[in-house]
Structure formats: C-alpha cells, structure tokens
Amino acid sequence: MTNLLIRLWEGSWAPDAINPDPTNDSYADPDKIRTINHHGKYFNLSTRHIVDPSPQRTPFLFQAGTSAAGSAFAATHAEAIFVSSHSPSVLRPKVDNIRKLAAEQGRDPRSIKFFATFTPIIGRTDEEAKAKFEELKKYASVEGGLVLFSGWTGIDISKIPLDKKITADDSTEAHKVTSILDGFTTTSEEVPEWTPRVVAEKAAFGGLGPLGVGSPAKVADELERWIEVGDLDGFNIGHVDTPGTFEDVVDRLIPELQRRGLYPLKQEDGLTAREKIYGKGQAGLRDDHTGSRYKYDVYKEDPPYVGQEDSKTVV
C-alpha cells in the first residue's frame, strides 16, 4: 500500500502539469497527468491521481515500532521514526539495527531521524520541579495505568502479584505490538526489574518513555544524554498536564536548549516538514529513498503480481 500511494503522489502529475488558464477555463494540462497502473497481490488500480501535488508530493514519512517487521519496514520507507524506551542503552541497539538495515538498501543511515518519547516536569529549580512532581502524583491513577499496560501488551496484569516479575511468557496475545511488550520486559540500570507496581509508577507518567524532573538545565542534561547514548535526533514531548507541560517547555526548556545550540534560535517561515528536517530545498523525497524511483521523470510500471486474481480493485 505504501508503494502504491507513493506512485500516485510522485508519478502521476508532471512537475509542470499545473498551468492555470482562466481564459480557456483550464487548470492543468491533461497530457501531463499520467495514469498509474498497478496490479499487485492485494490491490488493482488504474487511475490518475485525483489531486494535484503538494509542495512535498509524498508527505514526510513517520513510522513507529522497532519489532523485526517494524524495523524492516522503517529501513525501507521511513524518514523519521517514533521510538520509546525507559533507557537509552536499551534503545541504542534498535536504532543501530535500523540504520544498518537502511544502509544495506543503499540509503544514508543518518537520513533516518529518530524521535524518542520524553516527558518533562520542569521547575525553576530542581526542588520546585520535585515538589510539582509530588503534587502530580496525587492525581495519578494506578489502576488506570495498569489497564493501559494490559491493553498495550496483551498481559492481564490483574492476575500477577504486584511485586512479581513480568516476563514475555505472561502475554497470551501474540498479535499485540511486539516492541511495546519488549519495552516492558527488557531491564536496564534504570529499571532493573519490571513488576506490576513498577509498571503502575511508570505508566502514570510518560508510559514507556523516560521522565525528566528538574530545572531547565537538569532536564536539558538528560535530553543530551539520551541523544548521545541512544543516537537520537529529537524528541516527541509527552505531557502530564496541558497546557502546563508545553508552557514550561516553551518558556523554560527551549531557551536553555538554545543556549546550548541544540534548538534553532529562528526558523525560516514557509518550509515544508521535510525541509525542516533535511534543510531548505529538500521538499521532496531524497534520491536514496525507495520511493524516488516513482518520480515522474523516471517512473516505470512494476510488473504485475502473478496471483492478481486475489487482488481488490481500487478505482
């Protein structure tokens, strides 16, 4: 499905297909809009893309999940990946593996950007942040956190004593997200053992991701540690309350990151999402991305799938 969408986005409309002509009541040159023919295992399609291209054509491609299947998909298609772990040292081998798989496909492994979940609780001082954290604990639902965990992993945690170690064998639902289950059964220096009690504490704040409590400088130190140890490119900021968490990030954390050269002082207006990651001028897919072979000027139809009688027809 991903390749099918990219064919429509990249290969249907020529770069100069749009030529508004009010006099003749026309918007685009139909001779420069290609019909995409796809005959695959799951879908058959023969159509022009019905919408003219955006400045990016293919949207900037985010993916989530670091299971074996997720990693293979990410190495092929993703431009950025949402990741989550309680420890950067646990996360690093997964990041390294995806970069390695991408390189094997001829992609620049550094072109794939990794963004980790991180939930900050920020005060003007470490003491103020700790006091805020203690106050927030009063509103956390232990039972709610454990229910979330059961839904994420397929483990009925109500059957496990609060201080008993959780293992992968406790899950009876193999279809649940593998990387989430792995995250709750892999130990580290930060979390030497997972028990229902520990899960309740972690799930209440930040879920699978880390929690940073402290002054702007202390939280920035922790972000830098994750970048270095985990080989990360950025963060997906979680919140404990809203807009409070985000106000603290904007008013307190970002100025500290800017002082360290870790956050831009100013960003040019009008950039696409892809340009904000790769730089001005890179609005479209990089040449080493698998989807680049479907760009209009080099587009070629893939051979039909042999068993296409089982395909669905998409009009």
Side-chain angles (χ1 to χ4, degrees):
M1 176 60 84
T2 302
N3 281 339
L4 176 54
L5 289 171
I6 292 177
R7 291 178 201 187
L8 291 169
W9 290 326
E10 296 289 336
S12 188
W13 290 59
D16 59 348
I18 299 174
N19 185 24
D21 184 357
T23 302
N24 294 311
D25 195 24
S26 67
Y27 176 70
D29 184 347
D31 293 333
K32 295 183 178 181
I33 306 175
R34 174 188 289 122
T35 295
I36 302 299
N37 296 295
H38 171 79
H39 302 287
K41 182 177 181 180
Y42 301 106
F43 298 99
N44 288 329
L45 178 143
S46 182
T47 186
R48 300 176 180 185
H49 190 28
I50 62 174
V51 180
D52 55 307
S54 72
Q56 296 187 128
R57 288 188 174 252
T58 297
F60 188 68
L61 298 172
F62 269 97
Q63 184 261 357
T66 55
S67 65
S71 295
F73 184 90
T76 302
H77 298 290
E79 295 174 281
I81 304 173
F82 288 125
V83 293
S84 188
S85 178
H86 55 276
S87 167
S89 60
V90 170
L91 185 59
R92 180 61 179 265
K94 299 176 182 179
V95 173
D96 289 344
N97 180 55
I98 292 175
R99 293 200 195 278
K100 174 178 174 290
L101 293 173
E104 290 172 354
Q105 298 192 41
R107 298 183 66 187
D108 177 357
R110 306 306 307 182
S111 71
I112 300 180
K113 307 302 181 181
F114 289 83
F115 295 82
T117 300
F118 187 93
T119 302
I121 297 178
I122 305 167
R124 287 169 293 186
T125 64
D126 290 347
E127 291 71 24
E128 182 179 276
K130 290 176 183 177
K132 183 186 294 187
F133 182 39
E134 292 302 318
E135 177 65 20
L136 288 168
K137 282 183 179 179
K138 298 176 183 178
Y139 306 101
S141 170
V142 172
E143 183 177 357
L146 296 180
V147 169
L148 276 177
F149 170 82
S150 293
W152 286 337
T153 63
I155 296 175
D156 184 358
I157 204 167
S158 67
K159 298 179 180 179
I160 306 173
L162 273 177
D163 295 306
K164 180 182 179 296
K165 181 180 178 180
I166 299 170
T167 69
D169 293 336
D170 289 311
S171 178
T172 58
E173 298 186 42
H175 67 281
K176 293 296 182 181
V177 180
T178 303
S179 57
I180 293 179
L181 177 59
D182 180 62
F184 272 119
T185 55
T186 302
T187 59
S188 67
E189 182 178 342
E190 289 88 344
V191 183
E193 186 173 79
W194 286 102
T195 67
R197 192 185 305 278
V198 173
V199 167
E201 295 171 353
K202 296 293 183 182
F205 296 94
L208 268 176
L211 185 68
V213 181
S215 65
K218 184 173 182 178
V219 173
D221 286 343
E222 184 66 357
L223 290 175
E224 285 201 79
R225 184 176 76 89
W226 273 76
I227 290 171
E228 180 179 353
V229 177
D231 191 20
L232 301 176
D233 300 283
F235 296 92
N236 182 26
I237 298 298
H239 67 280
V240 178
D241 65 337
T242 183
T245 297
F246 301 113
E247 289 175 337
D248 286 342
V249 168
V250 171
D251 296 337
R252 295 175 177 174
L253 181 58
I254 286 180
E256 177 64 28
L257 295 174
Q258 288 174 327
R259 281 191 288 271
R260 301 181 184 207
L262 297 174
Y263 196 93
L265 294 173
K266 185 178 180 180
Q267 193 164 59
E268 184 177 341
D269 293 334
L271 298 180
T272 66
R274 189 172 282 111
E275 287 176 305
K276 290 181 179 180
I277 299 296
Y278 292 138
K280 185 177 180 179
Q282 188 64 60
L285 289 173
R286 288 169 48 93
D287 289 341
D288 62 351
H289 190 280
T290 183
S292 66
R293 71 182 189 270
Y294 297 123
K295 291 182 178 180
Y296 188 89
D297 292 337
V298 297
Y299 183 89
K300 292 181 180 179
E301 296 286 1
D302 287 343
Y305 177 70
V306 174
Q308 61 180 289
E309 65 276 5
D310 296 327
S311 301
K312 298 178 182 178
T313 298
V314 180
V315 180

